[in-house]
Amino acid sequence: MPAQLLTGWGRTGATRAEVASPGSAAEVADLLGTAGRRGVLARGLGRSYGDAAQNAGGTVVDTSGLTEPLELDADGNLRAGAGVSLDTVMRTFVPRGWFVPVTPGTRQVTVGGAVAADVHGKNHHLDGSIGRHVTRIRLVTPTGTHELRPEDDLFWATVGGMGLTGVITEVDLRMIAVESSAIVVDTDRTPDLDTTMALMTEGDDRYRYSVAWIDCLSSGRSLGRSVLTRGDHAPAAALPDARRADPLRFAPRTVLAAPPWAPSALLNAMSIRAFNEAWYRRAPRRERGAVHGLAGFFHPLDGVSGWNRLYGHRGFLQYQLVLPFGQEDVLRRTVERLAGGGCPSFFGVLKRFGGADAGHLSFPTPGWTLALDMPVGPSALGPLLDSLDADLAEAGGRVYLAKDSRLRSERVRAMYPRLEEWQEVRGRADPDGVMCSDLARRLGHLGAGATGGIA
């Protein structure tokens, strides 16, 4: 197996691992049966921002060859190989009138990776995370192959389990029917954070999808000013005349490519402030019923190939937190500290989560979630985020492990109160700790008996 230097999408903390590319579940089982001391981990398309899909000194299973089957029945039940991307699923089935029930901010993730991270989208307040729509998982573990359904404990340890229960090789997923490849969108430009949260709260029941872009550098009376977009799938009758002849057409294209190299200083406080000002001003103050394409609404960054290179060789991190309802003052203080902390965020995204999901380590919990893309470099960044972590844990919040690259291990147990339950279920599937990752080593949460290099 060739050794490769791997990073997450944030391009930080590179580590080397042997990379295997199996084409079947049987080949995956062989890899787990011959694993070395540093263990094995599955990796999809590398869109986890931090070190969740790295395994220093061990084996990384590239799942991109696990693309069979790809089938959809008449009731919208999808069966897909774990290595099939959401991009492929959408390109194949949107033209037939079916859309994925949950999508993160990029289509360039595999079905297996989406389940392992229990991804959420702009519709969590109504539809939950993707695990709620999964009806079966085929999981290869060091102790055997399992056909898992929602009544199984190992199912929920795997959904959101960050690939540490085994290698997912197939997923069954309930899709949703759509009449078009468009979204009817309402937009509001809000003057401050309180107005944004009030509008999002009152609209929860009326909009399937809701998200606010926040200007994280605005302060004072403009603290948290936002562009709020909310919408739902467009019926075919709502489309402009030019699109009604082919309402389900879906062929998104890459419109730009980031340069192969960019200086790390390209995205600094000044350039990000200028971008935020322009982005805020270009949005309509209030617009109703605009028709947007699926790709533009859900995955705007997929239109820019290699956009992560814009952060330069130092890379960037994404910090995504959730705070329970009732802790809005903590959220407000967080935005204030980010605005004045000298650590600019290129993107700030605010969403509302609905009910908690059933995965032991699933990230969403009822409350507010804020995601920030931040360039690595400012010396104040680490201390600021450590301090925010402390406030977050005290307020009953947590950070998203699929995007984490720097959380301290002592915070995990407070943020994920079902960790011991997960460890117990995981221990039955992998008693020798064969499944391992850099994230797991850093956070030390595999538990006793692990041999994957846990300190």
Side-chain angles (χ1 to χ4, degrees):
M1 288 180 285
Q4 293 184 28
L5 200 60
L6 301 172
T7 72
W9 190 242
R11 305 176 76 203
T12 59
T15 59
R16 191 174 298 277
E18 292 186 333
V19 178
S21 301
S24 68
E27 292 180 29
V28 172
D30 288 343
L31 286 166
L32 296 190
T34 58
R37 187 179 63 84
R38 298 286 283 181
V40 179
L41 181 74
R43 179 182 173 96
L45 295 175
R47 271 3 188 236
S48 294
Y49 284 78
D51 52 4
Q54 297 169 228
N55 184 24
T59 299
V60 167
V61 176
D62 175 0
T63 63
S64 61
L66 302 174
T67 56
E68 298 292 338
L70 182 57
E71 305 163 350
L72 186 75
D73 69 19
D75 296 321
N77 297 304
L78 174 75
R79 175 160 293 181
V84 175
S85 70
L86 294 189
D87 181 69
T88 296
V89 171
M90 292 181 206
R91 288 178 188 272
T92 304
F93 296 114
V94 168
R96 304 184 198 177
W98 296 98
F99 188 63
V100 292
V102 171
T103 177
T106 174
R107 300 184 304 279
Q108 304 303 331
V109 298
T110 62
V111 172
V115 173
D118 198 17
V119 299
H120 58 273
K122 299 175 175 66
N123 55 335
H124 189 277
H125 59 286
L126 292 180
D127 297 324
S129 56
I130 198 167
R132 199 177 295 185
H133 308 272
V134 175
T135 57
R136 184 193 69 103
I137 297 169
R138 175 176 289 172
L139 181 74
V140 179
T141 76
T143 54
T145 298
H146 306 265
E147 301 288 336
L148 301 173
R149 302 185 187 282
E151 56 268 28
D152 300 318
D153 278 350
L154 187 54
F155 179 98
W156 293 113
T158 300
V159 173
M162 304 310 301
L164 296 170
T165 60
V167 177
I168 299 169
T169 59
E170 278 184 26
V171 174
D172 288 4
L173 181 68
R174 287 189 299 268
M175 302 278 275
I176 61 173
V178 293
E179 291 186 18
S180 78
S181 59
I183 299 285
V184 177
V185 179
D186 291 348
T187 300
D188 292 278
R189 199 168 72 186
T190 68
D192 53 49
L193 184 62
D194 288 343
T195 304
T196 305
M197 291 194 290
L199 281 176
M200 295 181 81
T201 301
E202 66 83 20
D204 253 7
D205 296 333
R206 292 185 290 112
Y207 295 96
R208 185 167 201 161
Y209 303 104
S210 176
V211 62
W213 167 85
I214 288 187
D215 178 359
C216 287
L217 288 180
S218 61
S219 58
R221 290 187 300 176
S222 297
L223 180 79
R225 67 178 183 175
S226 307
V227 178
L228 172 61
T229 50
R230 296 174 290 179
D232 206 339
H233 293 279
L239 299 183
D241 291 345
R243 290 200 56 185
R244 289 188 187 179
D246 189 8
L248 290 166
R249 179 170 54 85
F250 183 71
R253 295 177 300 170
T254 299
V255 296
L256 290 171
W261 179 87
S264 293
L266 176 65
L267 298 179
N268 53 46
M270 184 177 297
S271 62
I272 292 175
R273 188 178 297 280
F275 169 83
N276 285 2
E277 184 69 27
W279 192 263
Y280 182 75
R281 297 292 174 193
R282 71 185 286 274
R285 287 185 182 276
R286 187 176 188 276
E287 183 179 60
R288 292 293 180 265
V291 177
H292 294 201
L294 288 175
F297 182 76
F298 288 107
H299 315 117
L301 289 176
D302 283 352
V304 183
S305 175
W307 63 265
N308 57 339
R309 296 195 297 265
L310 293 173
Y311 287 88
H313 71 277
R314 289 200 295 247
F316 72 106
L317 60 85
Q318 184 165 103
Y319 185 67
Q320 183 165 3
L321 61 88
V322 59
L323 277 161
F325 292 130
Q327 297 292 340
E328 284 77 8
D329 286 347
V330 179
L331 178 64
R332 197 171 291 105
R333 285 200 303 273
T334 299
V335 176
E336 286 174 349
R337 294 180 66 186
L338 288 164
C343 302
S345 172
F346 190 54
F347 275 105
V349 174
L350 181 71
K351 296 194 288 275
R352 278 171 63 85
F353 281 156
D357 297 295
H360 303 107
L361 298 185
S362 291
F363 168 66
T365 190
W368 298 94
T369 181
L370 177 65
L372 308 155
D373 283 356
M374 311 177 83
V376 171
S379 59
L381 181 60
L384 173 63
L385 296 184
D386 286 345
S387 177
L388 293 179
D389 286 345
D391 292 347
L392 189 60
E394 185 176 352
R398 62 182 60 155
V399 299
Y400 191 12
L401 297 180
K403 298 180 176 179
D404 178 53
S405 58
R406 31 75 45 207
L407 183 67
R408 294 177 184 272
S409 60
E410 60 267 27
R411 301 286 184 208
V412 179
R413 202 165 294 277
M415 291 183 174
Y416 286 88
R418 297 182 68 194
L419 180 61
E420 290 186 6
E421 184 183 353
W422 176 83
Q423 289 171 333
E424 193 276 327
V425 177
R426 178 196 174 278
R428 294 200 299 266
D430 182 15
D432 295 325
V434 170
M435 305 306 302
C436 199
S437 69
D438 289 357
L439 172 89
R441 291 189 187 90
R442 176 167 54 81
L443 297 181
H445 68 260
L446 278 182
T451 59
I454 302 301

